[in-house]
């Protein structure tokens, strides 16, 4: 059987490895937005499919038995396309979604519907911002000339960017002590993040809590309703049952 894993996440790589061990032919699809992605085992496909119609045709052409959408929680377009393409091609779909973060006692979280709302909140929360929402969508913050930004992302971001900023290129996982030192060393007084979930980038939230800093958390975009699990082992069982 051939299984398409829409990936780019740690969960997608773990799933591809376990399915490979079970003798399943896995094709992992990466969006191609990261210059040096961590590659999973098995066949890797980089780039888009050409929308719903292109993905539908690809599923039929390659006789795909099942699709697992293990993309980043904010990869809204491919998630929606996968839902409609699998419906059209009559291929079962499973969403492998890591749980979102939950606030703890002492957290000062402010939820935002999107990056624009997050940007609108900032002037009332601080002046030195640690921005960890990725390099996509930074234009939402470009007009906040009174604020200073430390922008952390994997690859260099393109314009438009905030007038006063520093770019830090880094890739997780991160540790609490290092995150705390980063926040204090740059005099950060507010953190902005997407609700990505998972342990690899959660240390900044702990550090912000320890330093009593406000955190703007961008909510996940909605996805079409589909079968879903948070566990790689459950996703393996689901695939093998198809």
């Amino acid at each position: 059987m051939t299984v398409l894993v829409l990936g780019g996440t740690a969960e997608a790589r773990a799933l591809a490895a376990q399915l490979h061990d079970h003798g399943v032919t896995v094709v992992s699809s990466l969006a191609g937005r990261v210059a040096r992605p961590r590659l999973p085992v098995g066949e890797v496909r980089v780039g888009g499919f050409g929308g719903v119609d292109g993905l539908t045709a690809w599923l039929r052409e390659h006789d795909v038995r099942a699709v697992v959408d293990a993309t980043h929680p904010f990869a809204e377009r491919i998630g929606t396309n996968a839902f409609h393409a699998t419906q059209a091609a009559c291929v079962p779909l499973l969403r492998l979604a890591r749980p979102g973060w939950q606030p703890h006692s002492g957290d000062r979280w402010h939820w935002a519907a999107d990056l624009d709302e997050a940007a609108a909140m900032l002037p009332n929360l601080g002046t030195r911002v640690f921005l960890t929402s990725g390099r996509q969508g930074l234009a939402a913050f470009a007009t906040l000339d009174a604020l200073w930004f430390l922008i952390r992302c994997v690859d260099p971001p393109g314009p438009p960017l905030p007038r006063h900023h520093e770019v830090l290129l880094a890739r997780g996982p991160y540790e609490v002590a290092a995150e705390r030192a980063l926040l204090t060393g740059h005099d950060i007084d507010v953190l902005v993040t997407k609700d990505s979930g998972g342990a690899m980038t959660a240390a900044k939230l702990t550090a912000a809590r320890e330093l009593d800093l406000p955190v703007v958390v961008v909510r996940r975009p909605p996805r079409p309703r589909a079968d879903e699990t948070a566990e790689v082992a459950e996703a393996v069982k689901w695939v093998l049952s198809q």
Side-chain angles (χ1 to χ4, degrees), residues 20-85:
H20 181 78
D21 290 344
H22 282 280
V24 176
T25 300
V26 180
V27 179
S28 294
S29 175
L30 307 182
R33 293 180 177 174
V34 177
R36 296 176 300 278
R38 292 169 174 154
L39 297 178
V41 299
E43 183 180 342
V44 177
R45 183 188 185 282
V46 179
F49 290 91
V52 174
D53 291 343
L55 179 53
T56 302
W58 194 94
L59 295 175
R60 290 170 174 163
E61 178 184 350
H62 293 81
D63 195 23
V64 171
R65 181 80 63 84
V67 175
V68 180
D69 176 9
T71 55
H72 189 276
F74 284 79
E76 181 179 6
R77 179 179 299 177
I78 184 58
T80 300
N81 288 352
F83 174 83
H84 293 295

Side-chain angles (χ1 to χ4, degrees), residues 75-123:
E76 181 179 6
R77 179 179 299 177
I78 184 58
T80 300
N81 288 352
F83 174 83
H84 293 295
T86 52
Q87 291 279 306
C90 297
V91 174
L93 170 69
L94 178 71
R95 170 79 177 136
L96 175 56
R98 70 179 73 144
W101 288 317
Q102 298 297 320
H104 293 76
S105 176
D107 280 329
R108 297 171 56 196
W109 286 14
H110 303 262
W111 289 95
D114 52 31
L115 291 175
D116 289 332
E117 185 174 353
M121 292 179 177
L122 287 179

Side-chain angles (χ1 to χ4, degrees), residues 1-16:
M1 62 187 302
T2 297
V3 173
L4 175 64
V5 176
L6 302 173
T9 60
E11 294 85 355
R13 292 190 294 274
L15 176 62

Side-chain angles (χ1 to χ4, degrees), residues 81-225:
N81 288 352
F83 174 83
H84 293 295
T86 52
Q87 291 279 306
C90 297
V91 174
L93 170 69
L94 178 71
R95 170 79 177 136
L96 175 56
R98 70 179 73 144
W101 288 317
Q102 298 297 320
H104 293 76
S105 176
D107 280 329
R108 297 171 56 196
W109 286 14
H110 303 262
W111 289 95
D114 52 31
L115 291 175
D116 289 332
E117 185 174 353
M121 292 179 177
L122 287 179
N124 294 322
L125 295 175
T127 59
R128 295 182 64 83
V129 184
F130 185 27
L131 184 54
T132 65
S133 57
R135 64 189 180 95
Q136 306 291 328
L138 293 178
F141 305 90
T143 61
L144 298 177
D145 294 343
L147 308 184
W148 182 89
F149 291 83
L150 176 62
I151 302 171
R152 183 167 70 188
C153 44
V154 175
D155 293 319
L161 299 174
R163 176 179 297 180
H164 308 293
H165 74 272
E166 176 183 335
V167 174
L168 174 62
L169 300 181
R171 190 198 302 260
Y174 304 103
E175 297 181 353
V176 174
E179 296 289 72
R180 188 189 311 113
L182 187 67
L183 293 170
T184 56
H186 289 82
D187 295 321
I188 299 298
D189 55 15
V190 58
L191 166 66
V192 178
T193 184
K194 292 178 177 178
D195 181 19
S196 300
M200 288 186 64
T201 61
K204 61 192 173 188
L205 300 173
T206 303
R209 183 189 317 126
E210 293 176 352
L211 296 171
D212 193 33
L213 299 182
V215 181
V216 178
V217 185
V218 180
R219 295 186 186 277
R220 297 179 174 189
R223 295 282 188 99
R225 186 171 296 179

